[in-house]
Amino acid sequence: MTELTRRNTMKLMSAAFVAGVSFSGLPRKAFSAGSITVLNWQGYGTDEAWSIKAFTEKTGIAVVHDYYSSESEMLTKLRTNPGAYDLVVLNAARCAQAAAEDLLQPIDFSKVPNAATVDEALRSNPNFSKDGKGFAVPWVWGMTSLAIREGMPVPDSYAVLADPAYKGRVAMDDDPIINIGVGALMSGQDINDPKDLAAVTAALKSIKPNVKLLWSTEDQWNKSFAAKEFDLSLFWSGGSVRSKRNSKLPVQFVVPKEGGIGWVDGLGIPASAPNAEGALAFANWMIDPAFYVEWATKVGAPASSNSAALAALPADDLSRQVHKPEYLKTMGIMSALPDDRREAFNNTWQEVKAFYAE
């Protein structure tokens, strides 16, 4: 997945302050005064000014940030700056890599009480674990699946992408990892390690008569959908919420029987963190329903890993409607890819794109 459009879109939705926030979930001065340094994408949840202000007032812990522009840069910063960071936001796939390199310390979940209601499917994901220990607090999640124009038949399988009824009416996400995942699901394989790439290739090539557009940005998707250039597409769960809520587009997000292609971001504590206690308190706040409801409804956010936080959203909240807990049981979560497999995925997608262009 591109690095990572979901975070870039958060920058567009960031607000300087949210009024009328109740932060009863935070303990007052429960930790000694000090500071923590958070490493994250800029504008991605942890650096909301209103949230930091409330957290500091209640705990006495100041929060400062350093940022990265790619996940490879994030790992480099962890490797080359020991003792510089207390908390790091990292994707599940990168968490497995960081834990393998001993860049993270195990999470003491007894100091993250809100984790008691984190969905077990996320908390037990092998990308977050090593030797039976958890190395990140699952924070937020989302997925790629199908989006269809409202009023059209609701599909139950990715096979619909090749249905002749949608000739010239399909848009595909121009991302090799996502498309190989879709081809893997269409051919009954593991999204992270399909053994038969020829079958994946054939499945993707079968879509050719229907492909109208290869899109790469949410803005491009919105404009093309609004112009009625296509009716059916691969799309992001969070993107569908924003398209419907902010752009008023008649889009319905659908997760077929094969499940979505999921991602999960976690909150890790670097092995050399100078203030792990403070970082755990902040991680607990990041999954607190009091924080999440304000972030999601006033600013815009992915789905919380905390089922209690999702349940605290208004019943008519679009994010709550799209990110149903049952999807966590069927979606595959993208994992770290070895270089040779990533190259094979890239080459396969380039071959399919060339075929589409013929």
Side-chain angles (χ1 to χ4, degrees):
M1 196 174 199
T2 51
E3 295 219 66
L4 219 182
T5 306
R6 65 178 182 271
R7 288 108 178 197
N8 294 335
T9 57
M10 295 305 298
K11 299 176 185 178
L12 303 177
M13 298 183 291
S14 181
F17 183 76
V18 176
V21 184
S22 173
F23 297 99
S24 58
L26 278 174
R28 179 175 293 278
K29 304 294 184 184
F31 300 86
S32 59
S35 67
I36 61 170
T37 300
V38 177
L39 181 62
N40 191 7
W41 305 87
Q42 188 168 13
Y44 187 40
T46 63
D47 56 1
E48 292 291 332
W50 51 272
S51 170
I52 291 174
K53 180 176 183 289
F55 177 79
T56 300
E57 287 178 350
K58 291 296 182 78
T59 65
I61 301 170
V63 181
V64 296
H65 275 78
D66 188 20
Y67 300 107
Y68 53 84
S69 57
S70 70
E71 289 173 333
S72 58
E73 181 188 0
M74 175 269 295
L75 289 173
T76 298
K77 283 180 176 260
L78 290 181
R79 295 178 186 125
T80 57
N81 296 283
Y85 306 112
D86 301 290
L87 186 78
V88 58
V89 174
L90 69 178
N91 185 263
R94 295 298 186 175
C95 182
Q97 185 176 354
E101 295 183 32
D102 296 322
L103 296 173
L104 301 175
Q105 59 181 268
I107 298 294
D108 182 352
F109 281 98
S110 69
K111 297 177 180 177
V112 190
N114 284 320
T117 44
V118 165
D119 192 280
E120 183 56 31
L122 299 180
R123 186 165 166 175
S124 63
N125 184 272
N127 289 293
F128 286 143
S129 304
K130 186 180 77 167
D131 300 329
K133 298 177 180 179
F135 280 79
V137 178
W139 180 37
V140 290
W141 63 277
M143 57 190 154
T144 295
S145 188
L146 297 173
I148 193 163
R149 194 172 298 276
E150 288 181 344
M152 303 192 75
V154 177
D156 69 348
S157 171
Y158 289 105
V160 71
L161 294 168
D163 187 331
Y166 292 95
K167 184 176 181 179
R169 304 300 297 168
V170 168
M172 300 289 283
D173 181 357
D174 189 7
D175 182 285
I177 308 304
I178 291 297
N179 281 285
I180 298 307
V182 169
L185 291 174
M186 291 176 71
S187 56
Q189 301 187 70
D190 183 343
I191 64 170
N192 293 304
D193 190 17
K195 302 301 183 183
D196 188 352
L197 278 179
V200 170
T201 302
L204 293 173
K205 286 184 174 181
S206 72
I207 302 171
K208 177 181 177 177
N210 295 356
V211 177
K212 170 69 174 183
L213 172 71
L214 299 180
W215 62 272
S216 57
T217 69
E218 194 168 308
D219 181 64
Q220 180 189 13
W221 192 97
N222 285 335
K223 289 177 179 176
S224 297
F225 188 80
K228 298 185 178 180
E229 294 181 13
F230 62 89
D231 298 311
L232 175 67
S233 176
L234 296 180
F235 202 27
W236 308 315
S237 54
S240 73
V241 171
R242 290 185 291 274
S243 296
K244 189 167 186 175
R245 182 179 60 199
N246 302 340
S247 301
K248 311 302 180 186
L249 295 175
V251 57
Q252 181 177 358
F253 189 77
V254 179
V255 179
K257 60 187 178 184
E258 297 92 346
I261 298 174
W263 59 265
V264 186
D265 284 343
L267 305 167
I269 312 294
S272 57
N275 190 359
E277 293 278 327
L280 289 168
F282 191 66
N284 191 57
W285 173 234
M286 286 291 99
I287 60 171
D288 194 302
F291 162 75
Y292 180 72
V293 169
E294 293 298 325
W295 185 32
T297 60
K298 302 299 197 304
V299 181
S304 176
S305 66
N306 187 352
S307 57
L310 269 181
L313 291 173
D316 61 352
D317 183 83
L318 287 173
S319 185
R320 179 175 177 176
Q321 293 174 359
V322 164
H323 298 99
K324 298 178 181 178
E326 56 262 36
Y327 293 156
L328 292 171
K329 295 178 174 59
T330 60
M331 78 178 188
I333 295 177
M334 291 186 290
S335 298
L337 298 175
D339 289 343
D340 59 343
R341 194 181 306 159
R342 184 178 294 275
E343 182 180 4
F345 284 12
N346 287 335
N347 291 341
T348 298
W349 179 234
Q350 292 304 315
E351 177 186 340
V352 171
K353 283 173 61 175
F355 179 73
Y356 288 167
E358 291 176 356

